[in-house]
Amino acid sequence: MIEYRIVVKLPLFIALFSVLNFALLMSGDNVSFYIQSSGVGEWVLGSDSNGFASYVGKLNEIISGCVYILLFLVYIPKTLRKERNEGSLMFWRAVPVSDYLAIAAKLLFALVIIPLITSILLIFSDVLVWLLAKMWMPLDIMASFSITVPDMIWHWLGFIGSAILMSLSLLPIACVLLVVSQLVSYPMVAVVVAVIVIKLMSYLLFGTSAIGDFLSDVYSLPLTILTDESPLDAYLSLGLFTHLALWLVSAVLFHICSKQRATDDSVFSTLFSLLNRTK
């Protein structure tokens, strides 16, 4: 965490946005947001949102979730390459810590610690909304917007549940980025270009966008979970078999990544050696 101070600094900076949230709450009942983005669907955030602080609480939740995704994309592509560039990899090799454990620790930080930090951002925003409402709003208005301590606790627990599902959907993406980060200097760029090429080539070869649509569903799933009224239904929308396949791919990539971290060979050499052992 010391090496990636942005993990703490960014949530603290974004926490100030809760002041604007409260200004929206005080402005009236007819505020709504419409967002449309290619590949990640579309959704409406309006005054009919249920739960703590109505649409303001939902906006707090979405901001915290987006900060989680952003910090994930900042941390994962750089963590292994940073070890090699700074020379700390040789130090860790001298420590009695296996490469499997080291990779698992990095995944744990990205998929567990970071969402917990961003949940603190949500708590901060919700508590500020509650305090300001307590000072300026009548009790009946607070009740109508569900601005109560129990609703605030349920709001946080709901976000934790969504974050767990988001982490599960981000696991295969994390494993892909960890492997690619040991191949190239700019893994995010490489992955984005590879996805575009796969989408284009699959359409030209097969005359259908089914493969491209599947890839879009996979990489947009975390945001879909965050914005959907039923995160669990959104997560299961890909199907149980698809998730089992993605977990299997994640396990294979995790093994390759751990083997690659232990050597100076290319990932392709590691993959070929693993294939030869299975023959």
Side-chain angles (χ1 to χ4, degrees), residues 37 39-40 50 62-63 73 82 93 128 144 154-155 166 169 172 179 228 230 242 272 274 278:
S37 177
V40 295
N50 298 320
I62 290 175
I63 291 173
L73 294 176
K82 190 172 184 179
R93 284 179 177 175
L128 183 56
S144 66
W154 279 112
H155 189 216
M166 291 171 64
S169 64
V179 170
D228 199 274
S230 178
T242 300
F272 291 149
L274 291 174
T278 60

Side-chain angles (χ1 to χ4, degrees), residues 98-105 254-255 258-259:
S98 67
D99 293 289
Y100 289 103
L101 183 59
I103 300 298
F254 176 82
H255 180 66
S258 300
K259 289 296 183 180

Side-chain angles (χ1 to χ4, degrees), residues 58 162 165 224-237:
K58 185 63 177 180
S162 297
L165 296 176
T224 302
I225 293 171
L226 177 63
T227 58
D228 199 274
E229 291 296 329
S230 178
L232 182 58
D233 290 341
Y235 177 75
L236 296 176
S237 62

Side-chain angles (χ1 to χ4, degrees), residues 206-274:
F206 304 110
T208 176
S209 60
I211 296 178
D213 292 340
F214 172 75
L215 291 177
S216 297
D217 291 338
V218 171
Y219 66 68
S220 66
L221 185 57
L223 190 57
T224 302
I225 293 171
L226 177 63
T227 58
D228 199 274
E229 291 296 329
S230 178
L232 182 58
D233 290 341
Y235 177 75
L236 296 176
S237 62
L238 288 184
L240 182 59
F241 177 79
T242 300
H243 285 297
L244 290 175
L246 289 175
W247 292 340
L248 178 61
V249 171
S250 300
V252 173
L253 291 175
F254 176 82
H255 180 66
I256 294 174
C257 183
S258 300
K259 289 296 183 180
Q260 174 61 17
R261 185 178 183 270
T263 66
D264 294 324
D265 298 331
S266 67
V267 175
F268 298 113
S269 298
T270 304
L271 179 60
F272 291 149
S273 64
L274 291 174

Side-chain angles (χ1 to χ4, degrees), residues 102-174:
I103 300 298
K106 293 180 183 299
L107 289 174
L108 181 68
F109 181 79
L111 302 177
V112 177
I113 304 301
I114 290 180
L116 285 177
I117 293 174
T118 55
S119 74
I120 297 175
L121 167 63
L122 178 67
I123 294 174
F124 177 87
S125 302
D126 285 353
V127 168
L128 183 56
V129 170
W130 180 82
L131 288 175
L132 294 176
K134 193 77 172 176
M135 293 170 55
W136 295 342
M137 296 179 64
L139 292 178
D140 57 337
I141 299 298
M142 289 182 61
S144 66
F145 279 101
S146 301
I147 306 179
T148 64
V149 174
D151 285 313
M152 183 166 54
I153 295 174
W154 279 112
H155 189 216
W156 177 76
L157 291 176
F159 177 78
I160 292 297
S162 297
I164 292 174
L165 296 176
M166 291 171 64
S167 295
L168 290 175
S169 64
L170 284 170
L171 176 60
I173 299 176

Side-chain angles (χ1 to χ4, degrees), residues 37-67:
S37 177
S38 176
V40 295
E42 58 185 43
W43 37 278
V44 178
L45 179 61
S47 57
D48 58 345
S49 297
N50 298 320
F52 177 82
S54 188
Y55 59 85
V56 176
K58 185 63 177 180
L59 185 58
N60 284 342
E61 182 180 342
I62 290 175
I63 291 173
S64 299
C66 288
V67 171

Side-chain angles (χ1 to χ4, degrees), residues 3-112:
E3 296 178 353
Y4 292 89
R5 296 179 181 177
I6 189 175
V7 172
V8 175
K9 288 184 177 180
L10 183 59
L12 288 177
F13 176 78
I14 299 296
L16 300 177
F17 194 80
S18 58
V19 177
L20 177 59
N21 286 350
F22 183 76
L24 290 174
L25 177 62
M26 298 296 293
S27 64
D29 298 342
N30 58 351
V31 179
S32 64
F33 300 89
Y34 177 81
I35 300 177
Q36 181 174 358
S37 177
S38 176
V40 295
E42 58 185 43
W43 37 278
V44 178
L45 179 61
S47 57
D48 58 345
S49 297
N50 298 320
F52 177 82
S54 188
Y55 59 85
V56 176
K58 185 63 177 180
L59 185 58
N60 284 342
E61 182 180 342
I62 290 175
I63 291 173
S64 299
C66 288
V67 171
Y68 168 31
I69 295 174
L70 177 61
L71 293 176
F72 168 87
L73 294 176
V74 169
Y75 173 77
I76 283 294
K78 294 182 179 180
T79 179
L80 290 180
R81 181 153 293 277
K82 190 172 184 179
E83 283 185 343
R84 293 181 180 273
N85 293 339
E86 296 181 352
S88 59
L89 178 60
M90 300 306 298
F91 167 77
W92 288 113
R93 284 179 177 175
V95 177
V97 176
S98 67
D99 293 289
Y100 289 103
L101 183 59
I103 300 298
K106 293 180 183 299
L107 289 174
L108 181 68
F109 181 79
L111 302 177
V112 177

